PDB file of all heavy atoms in Angstrom:
ATOM      1  N   SER A  45      60.928  66.536  80.126  1.00  0.00           N
ATOM      2  CA  SER A  45      61.050  67.985  79.997  1.00  0.00           C
ATOM      3  C   SER A  45      62.082  68.536  80.953  1.00  0.00           C
ATOM      4  O   SER A  45      62.861  69.431  80.634  1.00  0.00           O
ATOM      5  CB  SER A  45      59.687  68.644  80.249  1.00  0.00           C
ATOM      6  OG  SER A  45      58.742  68.208  79.288  1.00  0.00           O
ATOM      7  N   ALA A  46      62.078  67.967  82.166  1.00  0.00           N
ATOM      8  CA  ALA A  46      63.043  68.435  83.169  1.00  0.00           C
ATOM      9  C   ALA A  46      64.462  68.107  82.766  1.00  0.00           C
ATOM     10  O   ALA A  46      65.392  68.883  82.992  1.00  0.00           O
ATOM     11  CB  ALA A  46      62.721  67.830  84.536  1.00  0.00           C
ATOM     12  N   GLU A  47      64.654  66.899  82.147  1.00  0.00           N
ATOM     13  CA  GLU A  47      66.008  66.509  81.755  1.00  0.00           C
ATOM     14  C   GLU A  47      66.511  67.312  80.572  1.00  0.00           C
ATOM     15  O   GLU A  47      67.682  67.619  80.458  1.00  0.00           O
ATOM     16  CB  GLU A  47      66.027  65.017  81.429  1.00  0.00           C
ATOM     17  CG  GLU A  47      65.802  64.131  82.659  1.00  0.00           C
ATOM     18  CD  GLU A  47      65.669  62.668  82.269  1.00  0.00           C
ATOM     19  OE1 GLU A  47      65.686  62.388  81.048  1.00  0.00           O
ATOM     20  OE2 GLU A  47      65.565  61.820  83.169  1.00  0.00           O
ATOM     21  N   ASN A  48      65.635  67.640  79.641  1.00  0.00           N
ATOM     22  CA  ASN A  48      66.044  68.324  78.417  1.00  0.00           C
ATOM     23  C   ASN A  48      65.979  69.841  78.511  1.00  0.00           C
ATOM     24  O   ASN A  48      66.428  70.541  77.613  1.00  0.00           O
ATOM     25  CB  ASN A  48      65.176  67.854  77.245  1.00  0.00           C
ATOM     26  CG  ASN A  48      65.368  66.364  76.972  1.00  0.00           C
ATOM     27  OD1 ASN A  48      66.465  65.835  77.149  1.00  0.00           O
ATOM     28  ND2 ASN A  48      64.300  65.692  76.544  1.00  0.00           N
ATOM     29  N   ALA A  49      65.379  70.343  79.552  1.00  0.00           N
ATOM     30  CA  ALA A  49      65.231  71.795  79.668  1.00  0.00           C
ATOM     31  C   ALA A  49      66.584  72.451  79.894  1.00  0.00           C
ATOM     32  O   ALA A  49      67.446  71.893  80.557  1.00  0.00           O
ATOM     33  CB  ALA A  49      64.288  72.129  80.822  1.00  0.00           C
ATOM     34  N   PRO A  50      66.851  73.614  79.320  1.00  0.00           N
ATOM     35  CA  PRO A  50      68.113  74.329  79.552  1.00  0.00           C
ATOM     36  C   PRO A  50      68.223  74.728  81.009  1.00  0.00           C
ATOM     37  O   PRO A  50      67.222  74.969  81.682  1.00  0.00           O
ATOM     38  CB  PRO A  50      68.003  75.557  78.643  1.00  0.00           C
ATOM     39  CG  PRO A  50      66.534  75.756  78.457  1.00  0.00           C
ATOM     40  CD  PRO A  50      65.938  74.373  78.462  1.00  0.00           C
ATOM     41  N   PRO A  51      69.456  74.754  81.538  1.00  0.00           N
ATOM     42  CA  PRO A  51      69.615  75.111  82.956  1.00  0.00           C
ATOM     43  C   PRO A  51      69.098  76.518  83.225  1.00  0.00           C
ATOM     44  O   PRO A  51      69.258  77.422  82.414  1.00  0.00           O
ATOM     45  CB  PRO A  51      71.137  75.021  83.176  1.00  0.00           C
ATOM     46  CG  PRO A  51      71.725  75.180  81.806  1.00  0.00           C
ATOM     47  CD  PRO A  51      70.741  74.543  80.867  1.00  0.00           C
ATOM     48  N   SER A  52      68.486  76.686  84.353  1.00  0.00           N
ATOM     49  CA  SER A  52      67.951  77.995  84.710  1.00  0.00           C
ATOM     50  C   SER A  52      69.096  78.948  84.985  1.00  0.00           C
ATOM     51  O   SER A  52      70.104  78.570  85.581  1.00  0.00           O
ATOM     52  CB  SER A  52      67.062  77.888  85.953  1.00  0.00           C
ATOM     53  OG  SER A  52      67.798  77.358  87.022  1.00  0.00           O
ATOM     54  N   PRO A  53      69.006  80.174  84.529  1.00  0.00           N
ATOM     55  CA  PRO A  53      70.105  81.135  84.739  1.00  0.00           C
ATOM     56  C   PRO A  53      70.308  81.412  86.216  1.00  0.00           C
ATOM     57  O   PRO A  53      69.364  81.547  86.969  1.00  0.00           O
ATOM     58  CB  PRO A  53      69.622  82.386  83.988  1.00  0.00           C
ATOM     59  CG  PRO A  53      68.130  82.246  83.939  1.00  0.00           C
ATOM     60  CD  PRO A  53      67.858  80.761  83.842  1.00  0.00           C
TER      61      PRO A  53
END
Side-chain angles (χ1 to χ4, degrees):
S45 298
E47 292 173 356
N48 297 326
S52 58

